[in-house]
Amino acid sequence: MTIRSYYKPQGGLPSQTELLTGRAVFTDAYAVIPKGTMTDIVTSQLPFWDKTRAWVLARPLSGFAETFSQYIVEVAPGGGSTKPETDPRAQGVLFVVDGGFDLIIDGQSHKMRAGSYAYLPPACDWTVQNKSDHSTSFHWIRKAYEAIDGIDSPIAFVSDEGQADVVPMPDTNGAWTTARFVDPADMRHDMHVNIVTLQPGATIPFAETHVMEHGLYVLQGKGVYRLNQDWVEVEAGDFMWLRAFCPQACYAGGPQPFRYLLYKDVNRHMRLDR
């Protein structure tokens, strides 16, 4: 049985005596944002959010990854928002990595805690309030929804990693699994946010090369990831941002499972106006 843990940024600043050498890299095919770069001075403020700061991990960039943005949001006690999303086109996923908060969707309240997951369709009425005595941290992934005539829009739902459909990848004997919150055959959804788990020593044994963009945040453990032509060592708290068609593979290392939160765009024709 996998013992789950969820890394969150620690904030602060490095000591003046530390070396400047780090693992951050930005290329034309991928980026790696290590956990050590997520300090106090690189946070952003968001409109209509109180007692809140966010680390912006990804944003649409022309010629790179263009479909999504991803934040880690930290809300202090008493903080939150009654108007969290300002773009009516945006759908969102929230995934909690620390603490908890009250999420109200269309008047219905949900108690969110570490491991909780929420899907929020565009123009959804939702609010966040941290009523606890401790800060809470969660991922917020946003994408402009691509509506299709004849296909209904998805509806809001709240789930938990423990309730997700865990699917073993073929011929891996359970060493490589994906926790899916949305049925891949559900054409209402144009993005998936899953949790991938590789047991120590497991591998993605070929260089995947495909049209989907990726955001990968390492929740637990460590591994060595093949990104384009490079092998990069990553650990809990690191974020990888992959352009479409960037070759990718990995080996899981260390005594813990290697687990990451994975974004990908799915179920739509390729746009021809870019």
Side-chain angles (χ1 to χ4, degrees):
M1 178 180 178
T2 297
I3 298 176
R4 304 186 186 105
S5 67
Y6 307 102
Y7 189 90
K8 69 163 187 175
Q10 305 303 305
L13 278 175
S15 166
Q16 292 286 297
T17 62
E18 291 189 23
L19 295 176
L20 298 179
T21 304
R23 296 179 292 114
V25 61
F26 191 97
T27 74
D28 59 4
Y30 71 89
V32 176
I33 304 176
K35 66 180 184 181
T37 67
M38 298 179 204
T39 65
D40 291 350
I41 64 171
V42 297
T43 58
S44 297
Q45 306 300 311
L46 300 173
F48 308 114
W49 284 82
D50 297 323
K51 300 181 180 179
T52 298
R53 62 179 182 172
W55 285 272
V56 178
L57 302 179
R59 56 169 289 180
L61 291 176
S62 179
F64 191 68
E66 299 181 335
T67 62
F68 76 109
S69 66
Q70 183 164 348
Y71 316 148
I72 301 176
V73 182
E74 182 182 271
V75 182
S81 178
T82 58
K83 189 179 178 181
E85 178 58 75
T86 57
D87 188 338
R89 305 169 303 161
Q91 62 187 318
V93 163
L94 309 181
F95 183 75
V96 186
V97 292
D98 187 63
F101 57 88
D102 290 344
L103 172 65
I104 298 177
I105 305 174
D106 295 327
Q108 183 174 359
S109 181
H110 304 270
K111 294 289 186 182
M112 306 291 284
R113 57 186 176 84
S116 292
Y117 178 107
Y119 172 75
L120 305 163
C124 177
D125 180 13
W126 60 283
T127 66
V128 166
Q129 188 67 39
N130 180 6
K131 297 180 180 179
S132 75
D133 296 328
H134 306 282
S135 293
T136 182
S137 297
F138 58 92
H139 287 260
W140 182 8
I141 298 171
R142 303 167 66 242
K143 179 183 183 295
Y145 183 66
E146 296 184 46
I148 301 292
D149 288 343
I151 296 178
D152 292 338
S153 297
I155 61 174
F157 69 87
V158 173
S159 186
D160 185 272
E161 184 182 0
Q163 301 171 348
D165 186 17
V166 179
V167 179
M169 302 304 287
D171 303 318
T172 64
N173 198 30
W176 171 15
T177 61
T178 301
R180 294 176 176 163
F181 297 91
V182 171
D183 184 346
D186 187 343
M187 288 293 119
R188 296 176 300 170
H189 289 272
D190 66 355
M191 73 170 180
H192 289 165
V193 179
N194 303 325
I195 295 176
V196 175
T197 299
L198 291 102
Q199 298 300 325
T203 179
I204 297 178
F206 69 104
E208 294 185 33
T209 307
H210 52 60
V211 70
M212 294 175 289
E213 299 176 349
H214 278 336
L216 298 91
Y217 182 87
V218 183
L219 297 169
Q220 181 178 358
K222 64 179 182 177
V224 182
Y225 231 92
R226 163 79 182 273
L227 300 170
N228 203 10
Q229 75 273 26
D230 306 319
W231 286 97
V232 179
E233 190 172 18
V234 292
E235 63 179 342
D238 292 349
F239 180 73
M240 292 169 279
W241 189 11
L242 279 61
R243 188 177 181 178
F245 299 107
C246 176
Q248 57 190 277
C250 76
Y251 290 92
Q256 297 185 36
F258 177 53
R259 303 188 328 118
Y260 52 84
L261 190 70
L262 173 69
Y263 161 87
K264 57 184 176 181
D265 51 313
V266 297
N267 294 345
R268 294 295 185 265
H269 283 294
M270 305 305 103
R271 290 183 58 176
L272 304 179
D273 58 352
R274 288 178 176 154

